[in-house]
Amino acid sequence: MNQDYIKPDNWSIIEEGFDISRVKSSESLFSIGNGAMGQRANFEEYYSGPTFQGSYIAGVYYPDKTKVGWWKNGYPEYFAKVINAPNWIGINITINGEQLDLNACKKVEKFRRELNMKEGWLSRTFTATLQNNIEISVQTKRFLNLELDEVGAIEYSIQLLNSDADICFEPYLDSGITNEDTNWDDKFWNTTNVTHNDSQAFIEAHTMKTLFHTCTYMQSQCFINDTEVNLSPEIFKNETKIAFQYSASVKKGDTFAIQKFGGYLVDRNHDKDQLTEAAKNVLSKATSLGFDGLLKMQKSAWASIWEMADITIDGDMKAQQGIRFNIFHLNQTYLGKDSTLNIGPKGFTGEKYGGSTYWDTEAYCIPFYMATKDQNVARSLLEYRFKHLEKAIENAQKLGFKNGAALYPMVTMNGEECHNEWEITFEEIHRNGAIAFAIYNYYRFTNDYSYIVEKGQEVLIGIARFWQQRATFSKAKNKYVILGVTGPNEYENNVNNNFYTNYIAKWCIDYALENIVKIEKDYTGDYKRIVSKTGISEDELDRWKEVAENMYFPFDEERNIYLQQDGFLDKELITVSDLPKDQRPINQKWSWDRILRSPYIKQADTLQGLYFFEDHFTTQELERHFDFYEPFTVHESSLSPCVHSIQAAKLDRMEQAYEFYLRTSRLDLDDYNKEVHEGLHITSMAGTWMSVVEGFGGMRIKNGTLSFNPKIPDLWNGYSFKINFRNQILKVVIKQNETNFEHNGTQDLQILVKGKQVNITPNNPVKV
Amino acid sequence: MNQDYIKPDNWSIIEEGFDISRVKSSESLFSIGNGAMGQRANFEEYYSGPTFQGSYIAGVYYPDKTKVGWWKNGYPEYFAKVINAPNWIGINITINGEQLDLNACKKVEKFRRELNMKEGWLSRTFTATLQNNIEISVQTKRFLNLELDEVGAIEYSIQLLNSDADICFEPYLDSGITNEDTNWDDKFWNTTNVTHNDSQAFIEAHTMKTLFHTCTYMQSQCFINDTEVNLSPEIFKNETKIAFQYSASVKKGDTFAIQKFGGYLVDRNHDKDQLTEAAKNVLSKATSLGFDGLLKMQKSAWASIWEMADITIDGDMKAQQGIRFNIFHLNQTYLGKDSTLNIGPKGFTGEKYGGSTYWDTEAYCIPFYMATKDQNVARSLLEYRFKHLEKAIENAQKLGFKNGAALYPMVTMNGEECHNEWEITFEEIHRNGAIAFAIYNYYRFTNDYSYIVEKGQEVLIGIARFWQQRATFSKAKNKYVILGVTGPNEYENNVNNNFYTNYIAKWCIDYALENIVKIEKDYTGDYKRIVSKTGISEDELDRWKEVAENMYFPFDEERNIYLQQDGFLDKELITVSDLPKDQRPINQKWSWDRILRSPYIKQADTLQGLYFFEDHFTTQELERHFDFYEPFTVHESSLSPCVHSIQAAKLDRMEQAYEFYLRTSRLDLDDYNKEVHEGLHITSMAGTWMSVVEGFGGMRIKNGTLSFNPKIPDLWNGYSFKINFRNQILKVVIKQNETNFEHNGTQDLQILVKGKQVNITPNNPVKV
């Protein structure tokens, strides 16, 4: 944890001073992306210090052969890896023949890095004294254009401070790159063509096995003191790299600058044989707009996003910076334009975890996208799973399930499982529940039942079938039990009757049944199609009912709480506050057996159930469970603090809610879990949004009505957010003593505020 | 399973007919070894069909870098692998320039392989028609000398059946060999020197990392029609191979033969710089004895082993063949000469499982070696663990234990853990119990308390400390519980309160305490040494007592049985007999989660406890537990049938006992588990011995007295075995209606037969 490293600022992430030990962490924090591609904040110029080079193209992956100690039946053959793509940002620099390398300079001063979230660009300034005693002042700016999402732009300028010198910029493309995360050191890329003309260069390369064809391109322009100069580059080329050298003799005090345009084209969007031609078209558009024109577009595109998605917090700059950091990175990662994409846990900021899609998407991200974008974005995320239904059925078959039972993978790129620890792959089956819950959540929020009728119900049937088959009857308990699972708290493995899993399993069956009845009644044609396609029968539905009605839930009469799993009370119930600090994080200090037999909870588990199904429990029940479980929770999952923040707010424990809020919103900025160098926790960022809107704002949908129960941390003067509720955009401004609602839509909006009906007419602010 | 492949024979393993699909299985079954080295029954001549080449040197291993999907704290850095050693048996053969290759012949007939267990040699005969139409008759014989345990010998003779021909024998040494089992395709061997003189060749090579220095050597002699011929070989050599070519023009009807002597020397027994010189000395001894002289020694050495260790069975050849097969392979694997060695689960017959030492040694092998060898052999096996005590303490420290608590590794070569699945490495901790039990068992059998005083008690203290610290107090149960373990039944992982584990944990503490009291009373000097070395205090002993006296054991009141673990009765209790045959073996058909949530038991678990601590339970209790658990047991561990055979015999279920006996004794011969091609199940072979002596013979030690309760399967006319009990060798002959006891010792031996005292005076057979 490092609370004071990033400078507080309302709109920017700012680092001041050059600290070699922080380079990898900052590369993560200052990452940029535009939904189609993204990259860590690696330096453009050569850097010999510790660095983690990463540039990623959305949807481009490699199926890395599975690596295990001991093979188990049912393991997938491969693990889809997010892979480092060819480098297009590189600009090597020499000054009087000496290479600029911040790790080798005599001095680096006034180093400042800024990620401007309002406008969507990354800048760096510093002065450096090279070993040859030349002093320079450097300014760089870089962004990935949101609208022209195949285009990135860099401006890199060097002013000579103490003497004349020969400066050479060497912008290059390099497809001879590797991954940090690779199982067998496979070669991921095959470069097929390196071409150029006088000013442009192109590398065509495709991924091995998956055969994603790409073109990486660049074009550069040079300037002296802001005046464009036409320099003829020397061109160097080998099988995987091409570099242009632009050299100039520069006077002391003058500035030599380069603008580089580059990026990727992929065959998802272009004919694979026309990628270089397409890149030329893209470059023509980009250069005609120029760096400034592209930057203007960028500012305007980000302004539109912020217009809808911004949360303002008045009176607490760190909290403000935190929430914007989260919203910014979510929008850099996924914009909902392409329904084949999803939201990887590290986005474009690292390689860890591979794959792109976890239950994080359904449990955490969909609420954010649903409320801050057009509702088609959320629907598109649901359709992603509908498209994978067949593969989920095949996946369940591998594990012995039948008759169309579907088990969605724990991690996936294309619908196939690509995780391989038995306790996760085979046992963390609650993921199926979140996928069903998201369908319910989408309908509850949007009132768009057509999705369920057209697609969702088939998913719900596959999932219900899985749960019915997965539950077994315990004669001893005279109930259905679910044995051998890993719940959301991954610090327990192979437990019996995880409350959360059993509860969501029962709910999934109930919800699938409820919809079958409704569809049969109201959508006869669709009902016939669904019956014919899935082959459901009354007999089968009776088996579902039998399981759902007789599901077992572990319960402790003494404490009047549900137990996380069978046997939880046999543990040594020492709370986290009594755990020595030097033992934490326990996942870095303890062997796995010790973690497993401890009572410590990685993330909300029973409480996750009480979060999803809040209406099923009284506030007193929530309080009892919160009071029992939270003290054992180490929050070593990024997905943990947000749920706790929401529940603490609901319980009027605003101080605790605020603490959890800071922890979730500044998890990466302050590096709570000492791992930000590996990349950011993108999916949990949506949880931060929830902790403001659902936690402090108390937003819920109650019987189809938007409802708020506004609360505000003491420290804050006020905060605001917007919600796209059924295509009307409601702005909510919450202050210490009042809440203001306003929308510019076309129809009146009936909402509930602290349980009371309030009518908001268009363009007519209401104070409550 | 293939019950009719191996021909029944009292003393030999015989295969008739050449079946390419069986080659790898037969290579395992016909393996030879002499305790110092061993090898699969690979053909001497080139073979292009599927084969698993393996020759192994006792104690020579390579630390293969650990391979895991996901690293966990506490995993060992490496996994010690038994490694394939340089090939010294190879003899390539060409006839009129065509290579002899059984996979490429026009015809192979009269193929017969015999492993003569009485005399300790392997032979092969066949006739073959080559593609060039030459017909030959081949006879080979091979053995690894028991006394000169660095020496192996091969005789290979070819008779020309249908024409004259030029025959070339090319005996060679080859250190360019690889392992089938390797994590990263590391190079395991570094060859440093390949030398020769006119008749001898030597390859010096050392293992990478572990630096075991070895010399592999050979010398050959040729014969025509039994007359030695002096042929000058052509010599071919490269960096890792040396070959001598002996060629002769042979007449139709004549026989051309070669005798090859070879083997390994290791720097455990020789100066590493003098290995080639030492090999020359060995060769000089071997060639002066000659093939026939060496074979005579071999027969005599095996006769001595059989004299003590043989079990005869009259009237059931398959049973006779089975038990001798087991006794033979145990003696090929470990003879007790070298206390740094142990008994690998696959011996010298394969690479699977790596490491050499499992709890198999203490639980299964020690009783066999204790009763059929000098008692120092068993003591030496105990000392092996004493030598590893410091490393067991370090191992426990890695997992968070303190104050000298010892956790012995699951698998080891040198005392360090070299297994890496969390559910085994960290959780299959019952292994500690078997190590303590073996100390008790040794003392019970030999009455040699000096071992406990001198060494064993320190091991017992380390183990007791571990159990005391590992148990935690459950307020809910008001008892000490042991959470998160894997019991002997590895088809359950991370369960709570495995009965076997809890029971042996309590017993270990009790036994350590009992010995402390005894040593304090009777061995004051040793007591002081032990207290000073281990730092035990009254306080600590009180903590041990507290745990042992309040240990929890899961129990079902309704069935009046101990439960294998908490929650066992929640499973779907469908017996194995109701499981479709095509689902078995379940470990090859089912995903791991399905196995875990099933009730199926891999090997005796609760019943293993009732086996070890038989005196703690009534026969009725045993019966209830047997009747409950056996029907759920799939016996997919080689260690399972023997314990069940012993218990079935005790329960007078002789038919079932016999069935289990056949399954254990012919597990590999009949390939019950469809995996014999990977190697033999050496350690479980000791269980076969137990199932005769303890099962049918009913041998026990009761209050220091040797006791028998002889039973006999209906099919058998009689059976006999010998027991070295406290340095007197008792022969027991059991027939349908009588049992005969006889010993040639010096003192009277008081034994119990069916509970009645019987006195056996030396050289005076007694019939009961």
Side-chain angles (χ1 to χ4, degrees), chain A residues 350-491:
Chain A
E351 297 165 7
K352 203 177 171 185
Y353 302 125
S356 78
T357 314
Y358 286 65
W359 68 291
D360 304 24
T361 293
E362 282 78 13
Y364 297 90
C365 299
I366 281 182
F368 167 78
Y369 284 103
M370 199 153 61
T372 67
K373 304 269 180 216
D374 186 278
Q375 72 182 42
N376 281 325
V377 171
R379 182 166 170 141
S380 175
L381 286 168
L382 299 184
E383 280 173 358
Y384 178 95
R385 296 291 192 178
F386 175 72
K387 286 181 197 150
H388 292 173
L389 179 58
E390 281 311 309
K391 289 200 168 146
I393 291 171
E394 285 167 25
N395 186 43
Q397 278 168 349
K398 279 194 205 166
L399 306 188
F401 297 90
K402 295 173 225 165
N403 184 34
L407 175 61
Y408 279 91
M410 190 66 201
V411 185
T412 195
M413 272 286 189
N414 65 352
E416 291 169 22
E417 176 65 80
C418 57
H419 190 96
N420 53 295
E421 288 176 295
W422 63 263
E423 62 273 22
I424 307 286
T425 312
F426 301 152
E427 296 205 341
E428 200 172 337
I429 52 177
H430 69 80
R431 60 196 185 239
N432 247 10
I435 290 164
F437 184 82
I439 295 171
Y440 160 74
N441 202 15
Y442 170 80
Y443 167 58
R444 175 171 68 168
F445 193 85
T446 63
N447 204 32
D448 171 20
Y449 199 70
S450 72
Y451 178 71
I452 295 182
V453 174
E454 290 164 19
K455 297 177 174 169
Q457 184 60 18
E458 291 176 40
V459 172
L460 293 172
I461 288 170
I463 288 174
R465 283 176 157 161
F466 172 80
W467 289 121
Q468 180 259 310
Q469 294 176 33
R470 185 59 168 75
T472 52
F473 189 71
S474 162
K475 279 194 186 161
K477 293 196 159 69
N478 197 29
K479 287 276 184 186
Y480 283 88
V481 293
I482 301 183
L483 305 180
V485 305
T486 294
N489 170 21
E490 291 170 321
Y491 288 176

Side-chain angles (χ1 to χ4, degrees), chain A residues 423 474 477 493-494 570, chain B residues 422-423 474 477 493-494 570:
Chain A
E423 62 273 22
S474 162
K477 293 196 159 69
N493 293 152
N494 194 43
D570 281 331
Chain B
W422 63 263
E423 62 273 22
S474 162
K477 294 195 158 67
N493 293 152
N494 194 45
D570 282 331

Side-chain angles (χ1 to χ4, degrees), chain A residues 32 41 278 317 613 627 651:
Chain A
I32 55 175
M317 198 184 278
F613 304 107
D627 284 345
L651 295 171

Side-chain angles (χ1 to χ4, degrees), chain A residues 641-654:
Chain A
C642 57
V643 172
H644 288 84
S645 181
I646 295 167
Q647 293 182 328
K650 167 146 178 157
L651 295 171
D652 275 327
R653 301 177 183 187
M654 287 302 288

Side-chain angles (χ1 to χ4, degrees), chain B residues 242-302:
Chain B
I242 183 161
F244 284 22
Q245 287 188 355
Y246 299 93
S247 302
S249 295
V250 183
K251 298 271 173 225
K252 172 178 168 184
D254 283 0
T255 297
F256 186 38
I258 186 168
Q259 290 178 349
K260 180 179 182 181
F261 305 95
Y264 307 110
L265 287 85
V266 291
D267 60 351
R268 196 170 61 242
N269 304 317
H270 300 276
D271 183 335
K272 79 176 161 61
D273 299 322
Q274 299 292 323
L275 286 168
T276 295
E277 280 313 301
K280 285 179 185 169
N281 292 336
V282 167
L283 267 176
S284 151
K285 206 179 287 179
T287 51
S288 73
L289 284 159
F291 187 87
D292 293 337
L294 287 167
L295 185 57
K296 201 175 153 195
M297 280 173 80
Q298 179 78 343
K299 292 177 184 177
S300 146
W302 273 104

Side-chain angles (χ1 to χ4, degrees), chain B residues 31-46:
Chain B
S31 292
I32 55 175
N34 66 4
M37 58 179 169
Q39 53 188 226
R40 294 170 55 81
N42 304 130
F43 299 157
E44 290 85 1
E45 77 278 5
Y46 174 75

Side-chain angles (χ1 to χ4, degrees), chain B residues 510-716:
Chain B
D510 287 341
Y511 190 58
L513 285 166
E514 176 188 326
N515 283 303
I516 287 172
V517 171
K518 185 163 171 179
I519 294 169
E520 183 174 15
K521 185 162 154 278
D522 300 341
Y523 304 84
T524 315
D526 291 291
Y527 179 74
K528 282 184 185 154
R529 172 182 53 77
I530 291 167
V531 169
S532 145
K533 192 162 167 194
T534 61
I536 46 168
S537 66
E538 281 306 318
D539 269 7
E540 186 181 0
L541 300 187
D542 287 344
R543 286 198 297 277
W544 295 10
K545 278 176 210 158
E546 160 77 10
V547 169
E549 284 168 11
N550 295 288
M551 185 66 80
Y552 167 77
F553 304 108
F555 191 78
D556 178 48
E557 300 288 348
E558 187 189 327
R559 292 169 184 79
N560 205 9
I561 55 167
Y562 289 103
L563 290 176
Q564 185 178 280
Q565 73 247 5
D566 283 351
F568 189 83
L569 293 176
D570 282 331
K571 291 169 179 285
E572 278 192 316
L573 296 173
I574 297 164
T575 59
V576 177
S577 58
D578 287 333
L579 191 63
K581 279 229 167 62
D582 66 359
Q583 303 290 298
R584 299 182 58 191
I586 60 173
N587 69 9
Q588 292 174 20
K589 306 281 183 170
W590 285 7
S591 66
W592 196 242
D593 57 317
R594 192 172 179 189
I595 291 175
L596 292 178
R597 68 180 174 270
S598 81
Y600 303 119
I601 300 171
K602 186 182 176 195
Q603 69 181 90
D605 189 298
T606 306
L607 293 179
Q608 182 78 33
L610 272 70
Y611 166 68
F612 275 165
F613 303 107
E614 192 183 68
D615 294 346
H616 302 193
F617 302 92
T618 66
T619 305
Q620 292 68 37
E621 279 180 297
L622 173 62
E623 187 158 35
R624 281 200 300 275
H625 287 84
F626 192 90
D627 284 344
F628 181 73
Y629 287 109
E630 198 289 321
F632 298 116
T633 306
V634 287
H635 303 291
E636 288 175 13
S637 161
S638 64
L639 300 171
S640 189
C642 56
V643 172
H644 288 85
S645 181
I646 295 167
Q647 294 183 328
K650 166 145 180 160
L651 295 173
D652 276 327
R653 301 177 182 188
M654 288 301 288
E655 211 169 302
Q656 208 177 5
Y658 176 71
E659 209 174 276
F660 284 125
Y661 165 76
L662 272 195
R663 185 161 176 159
T664 178
S665 72
R666 297 188 64 88
L667 177 78
D668 288 322
L669 284 177
D670 294 343
D671 201 6
Y672 275 81
N673 291 346
K674 300 178 188 170
E675 56 186 17
V676 76
H677 57 279
E678 296 173 343
L680 305 178
H681 298 85
I682 298 297
T683 47
S684 78
M685 292 179 172
T688 302
W689 179 89
M690 298 196 305
S691 67
V692 174
V693 174
E694 300 182 11
F696 301 145
M699 186 191 85
R700 301 287 189 279
I701 310 298
K702 303 224 166 188
N703 300 317
T705 302
L706 193 58
S707 160
F708 295 91
N709 192 10
K711 296 178 182 177
I712 179 166
D714 286 347
L715 198 63
W716 297 3

